[in-house]
Amino acid sequence: MNGMLRRGLSRPEPRLLSKRYLSSATGGGSAGTTEGGSSETTPLRPRPNALTDEIIRVDHAGELGADRIYAGQMAILGNGPLGKTIGHMWEQEKEHRKQFEQLIQQHRVRPTIMTPIWNVAGFVLGAGTALMGEKAAMACTVAVETVIVEHYNDQLRQIMEAPNPDKELLATITKFRDEEQEHHDTGIDHGAEQAPFYQAMTEVIKFGCKTAIAISKKI
């Protein structure tokens, strides 16, 4: 377990984002690297309006944090009864993160400078609550996903009220919102509300998530 925790905390944040951002200054295409090591080019799009820029930056940060939370939970509970359930949610979060990394590249959006901090904080939150037990881990999931679902709903309203709604971004956020709601419901179904100090713990986690969202929107 200690070895898994060390690997999770020491996992370096991919340097691809900074390269993507720097490459946008040239106005040309940006090359990405797949897990298999092959190179792929993602076409750049016109620079986004302020709303799209903010949405992509903050949602990328949020999905990064969610990815690391489930990584922390898996490091502690991956071999237990909840391992398969947590693993399924983690796979979806990794796909969410991958999609927003592609959108950051395509739209040439500057990632939040808080990325390294969210990387570590997410893992610590996931592992820390998992060490308190399965129900505490599920309470963490419920708290985080409650904030994310509300956040995505707010964004969907903003996009639909915009003069020229980004239909692709609208569809992406709608899909991810529905999957985050499923994660929330999974946490409830697996005893989140029976966790020790459930109310206090979830309120603290919600406050932390809302603070991270507010910060990531701007810097």
Side-chain angles (χ1 to χ4, degrees):
M1 180 183 297
N2 289 337
M4 295 180 73
L5 278 170
R6 284 195 296 271
R7 287 195 296 273
L9 284 169
S10 63
R11 174 185 172 186
E13 179 62 18
R15 298 178 61 188
L16 182 58
L17 287 176
S18 60
K19 292 179 181 178
R20 288 172 175 170
Y21 179 59
L22 289 172
S23 68
S24 70
T26 67
S30 299
T33 304
T34 63
E35 292 182 0
S38 60
S39 178
E40 59 181 14
T41 300
T42 302
L44 297 180
R45 301 180 184 181
R47 291 194 178 277
N49 57 38
L51 175 61
T52 300
D53 183 274
E54 179 183 281
I55 286 175
I56 292 174
R57 177 167 50 255
V58 69
D59 288 356
H60 168 259
E63 296 299 350
L64 163 67
D67 172 10
R68 305 310 296 143
I69 287 170
Y70 286 110
Q73 290 184 351
M74 281 295 288
I76 306 301
L77 302 173
N79 294 324
L82 280 182
K84 184 175 180 180
T85 298
I86 295 172
H88 170 69
M89 294 189 289
W90 188 21
E91 286 302 315
Q92 289 183 318
E93 297 296 353
K94 286 191 282 188
E95 183 59 34
H96 296 180
R97 176 181 174 180
K98 177 182 176 182
Q99 181 65 35
F100 275 109
E101 286 182 344
Q102 291 174 349
L103 289 173
I104 272 188
Q105 179 182 4
Q106 291 169 352
H107 289 277
R108 290 168 281 178
V109 173
R110 174 187 58 78
T112 174
I113 64 174
M114 301 297 287
T115 295
I117 295 177
W118 301 156
N119 183 44
V120 175
F123 187 89
V124 169
L125 176 60
T129 51
L131 285 169
M132 296 170 62
E134 293 179 350
K135 290 181 173 59
M138 292 296 98
C140 174
T141 293
V142 168
V144 171
E145 302 295 11
T146 296
V147 173
I148 292 178
V149 169
E150 292 175 355
H151 170 69
Y152 276 155
N153 281 334
D154 288 342
Q155 289 184 335
L156 291 173
R157 284 190 288 269
Q158 288 179 296
I159 294 172
M160 288 187 287
E161 292 170 359
N164 297 299
D166 187 325
K167 295 182 179 179
E168 182 179 354
L169 188 58
L170 189 70
T172 297
I173 293 178
T174 299
K175 178 177 183 294
F176 291 175
R177 187 273 315 273
D178 292 346
E179 290 176 350
E180 306 293 4
Q181 182 65 54
E182 290 176 7
H183 298 174
H184 169 278
D185 296 346
T186 296
I188 294 293
D189 291 342
H190 285 82
E193 294 172 312
Q194 300 168 28
F197 310 108
Y198 171 78
Q199 194 64 39
M201 177 168 52
T202 53
E203 288 303 316
V204 169
I205 294 172
K206 288 178 185 177
F207 177 79
C209 291
K210 290 176 182 178
T211 301
I213 288 171
I215 293 172
S216 299
K217 283 182 179 181
K218 304 302 180 185
I219 65 173

